[in-house]
Amino acid sequence: MTFYFAYLILIVLVSLILKKKGLFLNYSGDNHQSFSNVGNIPLSGGIFLIFPIIYLYSNDLILVTFLSTIFLLGFFSDRKILVSPQKRFLFQVISILLFVIIADLKILTSRIELFDIMLSNQVFAYLFSTFCLLILINGSNFIDGLNGLLISYSLLVIYILGNLGLISDQIISDQNFVLILWLMLLILFLNFFNILMIGDSGAYLLGLLLGFLIITSHKNNLDVSPYFYISIIWYPCFENLFSILRKLNKKLSPLNPDNKHLHQLVFFFIKKKLGLSVIFSNNLSSALLIFFNFLIIYICSLNPNSTIFQVKLIICSTLLYISGYLILNKFYKLN
């Protein structure tokens, strides 16, 4: 425990040094990067996350290998070594498919008879799990456009899973559960104050870790509705799917970034309406979206076993998202 808190202090000191020295910067200037943040902030959040996660899972070589692989893929993206989104996506597909097969990460039931028959086919089950993880990982990266949004969302999901007893001690012990929460809270604090950013490395890492926790929780708790797990990660997943459909509709590549994600439209609306600085608009937008998602995740945790309850919540969440998006997008176009 003493060593762990020393590591937290080290994070603060190193973050301040990196910011002062101008190291590991986010290369602000790309249109989608500079839309809601004009600072050049170190992309060090993923670096501070990977080491304790490797330590906590040091006895699981498969998990550590693929968490490290997806982290490095994001790190090379942050450092502009792997620039092509097509190549990044190809490496993601290969890595995640291998991980799913080797770790046997199969979704066992959807509570839809026909689809469950399809899931009983091992090849289909592996491909479907790979698809789900890819959606979550890239959705996590999409929502990382505002300070604290991704790390807060990840905190909520991990806390709810742990609080409901859906994470076994073999996956995360009670002590390690608390340590992970403290680590993420510190990085959240530093992120809110523009001392560091999560970066692609942190977003990919958190996305894969959440996906692993959710699938293993699903396999160990079959009495819990699979739609409960959809409810707690609906936002990054729907953000990704909605973005893909939106871009395809405009004949644009789904792999290229833009400024039309929901969190960016919320930021634009708040900045225009309230006339706040970029960082205050950024943090306020993030806080509003975090509160909205907190309500959804809290509500879904009230009845995790009921499929009907969870499906209704997913539909309501989706309709609220689409309605809000259409209103904010209209405001964006008029201004």
Side-chain angles (χ1 to χ4, degrees):
M1 184 67 75
T2 302
F3 174 79
Y4 188 82
F5 280 105
Y7 181 74
L8 296 183
I9 295 172
L10 181 65
I11 289 176
V12 176
L13 294 176
V14 172
S15 296
L16 293 172
I17 292 171
L18 290 176
K19 186 173 175 63
K20 184 175 181 180
K21 297 292 184 180
L23 301 174
F24 294 107
L25 297 180
N26 65 334
Y27 300 92
S28 180
D30 289 349
N31 193 31
H32 72 283
Q33 286 182 326
S34 59
F35 185 81
S36 57
N37 201 316
V38 296
N40 213 354
I41 314 301
L43 292 169
S44 54
I47 298 172
F48 296 133
L49 283 169
I50 186 63
F51 292 113
I53 288 175
I54 288 176
Y55 174 76
L56 293 177
Y57 289 106
S58 57
N59 61 337
D60 190 335
L61 182 59
I62 294 174
L63 179 59
V64 166
T65 297
F66 285 98
L67 285 175
S68 300
T69 299
I70 203 71
F71 163 81
L72 288 173
L73 183 59
F75 180 79
F76 291 146
S77 173
D78 289 335
R79 302 307 301 156
K80 301 302 180 184
I81 297 171
L82 187 57
V83 178
S84 169
Q86 291 80 13
K87 290 181 179 178
R88 286 202 303 271
F89 184 70
L90 177 61
F91 287 135
Q92 282 182 6
V93 172
I94 295 172
S95 301
I96 300 306
L97 181 58
L98 286 173
F99 179 45
V100 165
I101 293 172
I102 295 172
D104 193 33
L105 288 178
K106 291 185 294 187
I107 296 170
L108 301 180
T109 178
S110 66
R111 296 193 178 178
I112 300 174
E113 185 175 353
L114 178 59
F115 198 74
D116 283 351
I117 293 172
M118 298 171 68
L119 285 174
S120 65
N121 180 283
Q122 185 166 271
V123 174
F124 178 82
Y126 284 148
L127 291 176
F128 182 67
S129 294
T130 300
F131 169 77
C132 293
L133 287 173
L134 287 169
I135 291 293
L136 178 57
I137 289 168
N138 288 286
S140 298
N141 196 34
F142 279 3
I143 69 171
D144 188 37
L146 295 179
N147 290 345
L149 184 55
L150 172 61
I151 195 77
S152 296
Y153 198 91
S154 302
L155 260 170
L156 285 173
V157 172
I158 293 174
Y159 176 77
I160 288 296
L161 289 175
N163 191 53
L164 293 176
L166 298 178
I167 303 178
S168 69
D169 288 340
Q170 287 74 28
I171 303 300
I172 302 180
S173 67
D174 290 341
Q175 181 181 5
N176 289 342
F177 179 74
V178 173
L179 295 180
I180 287 176
L181 292 183
W182 275 110
L183 171 64
M184 295 177 72
L185 280 170
L186 175 61
I187 292 178
L188 172 62
F189 176 82
L190 297 174
N191 190 198
F192 260 123
F193 285 92
N194 265 2
I195 296 173
L196 59 75
M197 288 186 174
I198 303 299
D200 289 352
S201 60
Y204 290 175
L205 177 64
L206 286 174
L208 184 57
L209 180 61
L210 289 181
F212 170 77
L213 292 176
I214 286 169
I215 293 178
T216 52
S217 296
H218 160 70
K219 293 175 69 175
N220 294 331
N221 302 277
L222 292 179
D223 56 317
V224 175
S225 171
Y227 298 91
F228 162 77
Y229 297 104
I230 296 175
S231 294
I232 61 175
I233 56 168
W234 81 276
Y235 174 48
C237 292
F238 188 74
E239 178 75 78
N240 192 359
L241 291 170
F242 186 80
S243 176
I244 291 172
L245 294 174
R246 174 172 56 80
K247 291 175 184 177
L248 288 176
N249 183 54
K250 294 185 177 182
K251 299 181 180 180
L252 300 172
S253 171
L255 299 177
N256 291 329
D258 66 5
N259 298 331
K260 291 295 187 72
H261 297 297
L262 177 65
H263 63 270
Q264 293 168 321
L265 296 180
V266 171
F267 165 83
F268 182 81
F269 178 83
I270 287 177
K271 189 171 186 300
K272 279 285 185 177
K273 281 290 186 178
L274 301 182
L276 300 175
S277 66
V278 171
I279 187 169
F280 277 108
S281 300
N282 186 316
N283 290 343
L284 179 58
S285 303
S286 182
L288 289 174
L289 286 168
I290 291 166
F291 179 71
F292 172 65
N293 282 291
F294 164 76
L295 292 178
I296 294 171
I297 292 174
Y298 172 73
I299 292 170
C300 84
S301 71
L302 298 178
N303 195 356
N305 295 349
S306 172
T307 290
I308 294 176
F309 179 85
Q310 298 299 331
V311 169
K312 287 180 179 179
L313 181 60
I314 293 167
I315 292 172
C316 289
S317 303
T318 302
L319 291 176
L320 284 171
Y321 178 104
I322 294 174
S323 301
Y325 187 92
L326 293 175
I327 294 170
L328 292 170
N329 190 45
K330 184 177 180 180
F331 178 85
Y332 180 84
K333 289 179 178 179
L334 292 175
N335 290 272

